[in-house]
Amino acid sequence: MIQGRHGPSDYQQDGPAGGVYEWFQRGVKLLEEGSPAAAAALLERAAHAEPESRSIREALARAQFNSRRYADAVGSFRWIVDANPTEDYAYYGLGMALWRTGDIEGAQEPLAVAVAMRPDLRHYVSALTQVRATLRARKA
């Protein structure tokens, strides 16, 4: 923290105080406390500084999704899936973000992959069931 004219501040002139790990920790805390837009701002800076960090990217994707920036969340979740195709949560997040953007057809495949990887997770199964029901209803 630096001392400014008006008291302590979490921001330096060129951005938030601290290093990448502190940005990540504060971003995750903000996300947990229900401030996804603020979390996304910190996590975007962290992702820019450490572009290969999957943990930062996942937190960023969650923050983007929770702040209703679904198209951005699609990009972040897709990055995770491309970097590590064994991440079931990234497939789930990608499917949910695609669904929210209105790409219901596109949401089906990543949700199906998530369910295939973790059939025990009810929320994965429920999301896939709803997407498939919507697609069937549109065809009828």
Side-chain angles (χ1 to χ4, degrees):
M1 207 173 326
I2 62 173
Q3 184 74 25
R5 231 170 85 163
H6 303 289
S9 171
D10 270 348
Y11 284 83
Q12 298 170 347
Q13 276 186 313
D14 60 347
V20 176
Y21 183 73
E22 288 84 8
W23 301 341
F24 171 70
Q25 290 295 312
R26 286 198 314 260
V28 169
K29 186 175 183 189
L30 285 166
L31 186 57
E32 290 169 352
E33 292 173 347
S35 297
L42 271 174
L43 293 166
E44 283 167 352
R45 184 169 290 268
H48 181 72
E50 293 287 338
E52 301 303 312
S53 171
R54 287 195 303 262
S55 56
I56 291 172
R57 292 283 186 148
E58 182 180 311
L60 173 58
R62 289 176 39 225
Q64 291 167 328
F65 185 90
N66 289 347
S67 60
R68 299 179 183 198
R69 292 174 43 198
Y70 302 121
D72 292 334
V74 166
S76 294
F77 280 121
R78 194 178 306 279
W79 184 94
I80 298 166
V81 165
D82 290 345
N84 188 358
T86 63
E87 295 280 344
D88 62 280
Y89 181 77
Y91 282 102
Y92 172 72
L94 176 58
M96 294 300 292
L98 286 166
W99 187 5
R100 298 285 199 219
T101 65
D103 185 1
I104 298 171
E105 183 124 354
Q108 184 175 216
E109 182 179 337
L111 288 172
V113 172
V115 169
M117 294 171 91
R118 293 294 307 270
D120 57 311
L121 295 180
R122 287 185 180 177
H123 58 286
Y124 286 15
V125 174
S126 176
L128 178 60
T129 301
Q130 290 177 49
V131 162
R132 287 183 171 164
T134 300
L135 290 172
R136 276 193 308 275
R138 286 184 175 182
K139 288 181 183 177

